[in-house]
Amino acid sequence: MKIDFKYQGLPWNILFSPGAIKKLPEELSKLGYKRALVLSTPQQVNQANDLAALLDTACVGVFSDAVMQVPMETVTAAISAVKDLKADCSVSIGGGSTTGLGKALAIKSDLPNIAIPTTYAGSEMTNIWAITEAGRKTTGRDIRVVPNLTIYDPELTLSLPSHIAGPSGLNAMAQAVVNVTTKNMNPIISLLALDAVRSLSKYLPLIIEQPGNLKARSAVLYGACLAGASLGTGSTSLHHRLCHTFGGSFNTPHAETHTVLLPHSVAFNAAATKEGTRQLANAMEVNDPAVGIFKLAKIVGAPTALKDIGVKEADLDKAVAIATEKELENPEPVTKERLRLLLDNAYHGKVPEAV
Ligand code: NAD
């Protein structure tokens, strides 16, 4: 085996256990923070209020207006709250939208952030931030957005409904899969990504079948943590370019977009990533990982066709044009013609195949 790689880790500080949330006051105090602003979406304001009660005097307020895409207006309103309340850190409880707001505050006002993830988006393990202004989503990588502490408490995910959990778990799969099916495989990132794939593919169906199964919930959250870690220290290619295109230009829902496109991106790159595809197949215990991911989406009741998540057939040509505007590093050469065929398969929800 040829060993030849470069790896730069991120400064993760993780606490993972059922009931870990109860340790937040002690952990916050260890980090020296005394005035936390709790962030959440309007849908999770009750969980945010519970957290505020747990923190008692170490919490100065709750900002519960986090929404998808991290709009600049929301960031500006949250910055005002930080200033008015003299907050010294943010504590995000929620999915990628809420974690994203904590990261935006870290970038825009140097506010330390703490993440308590309750979906499988994995954002808390990456250095990637995003802010949307005047309809344009800007993203970047910056070490300042990596949370100073992440608390994974699987008990908090018991309330995640199946229609969100299924696509969210496949979103996590995508973070891991793109870092295995790559030409420049990195042994450390592969370890993270393949264990993520094993855990997610085995336990995701179980949390849909038995939503109250804490062991399965823990395993999926663990998979999401590792998948986020592989994305945080790895790279992206065609798959993320396509997801960014549909999410950014056609406003498709984030996790569902990943779910629909992932099997087709994997099939597209399979011939150029034989070793990664073989390892992925082993981790999933299937012959063809593209088909395996497609079937997994069906098993967990997640969408498998672009037409079912708000895309119109007439949008496909425009999507090809946008996705190929900028140069893209991808194992298989990407041409407009091949991309159009891929999108046609994804639009109709066909079984994935090489195009
Ligand atoms: P989300 O954060 O919008 O959550 C979806 C819905 O589920 C929300 O209403 C939320 O309040 C609710 N919810 C979350 N946890 C719950 C629980 N345990 N019980 C009940 N309801 C719950 O969606 P998401 O898919 O987690 O995140 C998507 C966003 O994250 C996108 O904007 C995406 O761009 C971003 N993201 C960023 C990165 C990164 O590295 N920067 C990685 C992945 C995703």
Side-chain angles (χ1 to χ4, degrees), residues 40-44 47 67-70 94-100 103 117-130 137 156-161 164 168 171 175 231 254-255 258:
S40 77
T41 61
Q43 292 81 9
Q44 286 179 275
Q47 275 179 317
V67 285
M68 277 268 188
Q69 312 298 357
V70 198
S97 299
T98 310
T99 309
K103 286 174 153 186
T118 62
T119 69
Y120 311 122
S123 172
E124 64 285 349
M125 294 298 287
T126 82
N127 52 359
I128 305 168
W129 60 270
K137 188 171 176 180
L156 297 174
T157 65
L158 290 169
S159 57
L160 191 66
I164 302 180
S168 186
N171 182 189
Q175 329 282 40
L231 180 71
H254 179 83
H258 275 278

Side-chain angles (χ1 to χ4, degrees), residues 56-346:
D56 196 14
T57 54
C59 173
V60 291
V62 171
F63 182 92
S64 59
D65 288 336
V67 285
M68 277 268 188
Q69 312 298 357
V70 198
M72 193 59 202
E73 307 85 73
T74 312
V75 180
T76 307
I79 289 174
S80 294
V82 169
K83 283 188 184 146
D84 292 348
L85 298 165
K86 298 189 174 56
D88 61 6
C89 70
S90 72
V91 178
S92 309
I93 180 157
S97 299
T98 310
T99 309
L101 179 59
K103 286 174 153 186
L105 292 178
I107 275 285
K108 291 288 174 190
S109 60
D110 272 327
L111 189 72
N113 63 333
I114 287 155
I116 305 175
T118 62
T119 69
Y120 311 122
S123 172
E124 64 285 349
M125 294 298 287
T126 82
N127 52 359
I128 305 168
W129 60 270
I131 296 178
T132 303
E133 196 166 12
R136 267 198 102 83
K137 188 171 176 180
T138 308
T139 62
R141 287 196 186 242
D142 192 309
I143 201 157
R144 284 178 295 161
V145 306
V146 178
N148 298 44
L149 169 69
T150 293
I151 296 188
Y152 287 103
D153 184 341
E155 286 176 5
L156 297 174
T157 65
L158 290 169
S159 57
L160 191 66
S162 296
H163 72 276
I164 302 180
S168 186
L170 277 139
N171 182 189
M173 276 288 274
Q175 329 282 40
V177 163
V178 298
N179 279 295
V180 180
T181 50
T182 166
K183 261 190 167 164
N184 305 313
M185 289 179 73
N186 179 306
I188 296 180
I189 297 173
S190 288
L191 283 175
L192 297 166
L194 287 167
D195 210 32
V197 167
R198 272 188 285 274
S199 210
L200 291 166
S201 49
K202 182 166 176 193
Y203 289 101
L204 197 52
L206 204 52
I207 66 164
I208 306 299
E209 219 176 89
Q210 303 167 14
N213 185 329
L214 188 60
K215 184 182 164 217
R217 289 280 189 180
S218 294
V220 175
L221 194 60
Y222 167 73
C225 162
L226 294 188
S230 67
L231 180 71
T233 50
S235 59
T236 62
S237 55
L238 174 66
H239 175 69
H240 279 80
R241 172 69 63 83
L242 288 176
C243 290
H244 198 85
T245 300
F246 281 100
S249 304
F250 304 102
N251 209 22
T252 55
H254 179 83
E256 287 78 358
T257 309
H258 275 278
T259 305
V260 172
L261 291 167
L262 185 63
H264 300 280
S265 318
V266 171
F268 187 90
N269 278 331
T273 59
K274 287 207 170 72
E275 178 52 20
T277 303
R278 185 190 67 76
Q279 292 189 14
L280 182 59
N282 280 348
M284 293 186 71
E285 299 181 22
V286 296
N287 290 326
D288 179 338
V291 175
I293 296 166
F294 183 77
K295 284 187 181 161
L296 181 62
K298 288 213 180 270
I299 290 169
V300 303
T304 51
L306 287 175
K307 66 182 167 58
D308 295 336
I309 60 167
V311 177
K312 297 189 184 63
E313 200 160 9
D315 295 335
L316 299 184
D317 286 333
K318 199 173 157 201
V320 169
I322 298 170
T324 52
E325 255 170 25
K326 286 192 210 140
E327 220 183 301
L328 171 67
E329 234 184 87
N330 189 65
E332 270 288 308
V334 177
T335 63
K336 286 191 165 60
E337 293 70 30
R338 294 181 74 190
L339 211 48
R340 186 63 178 76
L341 290 171
L342 182 162
L343 291 185
D344 193 66
N345 285 345

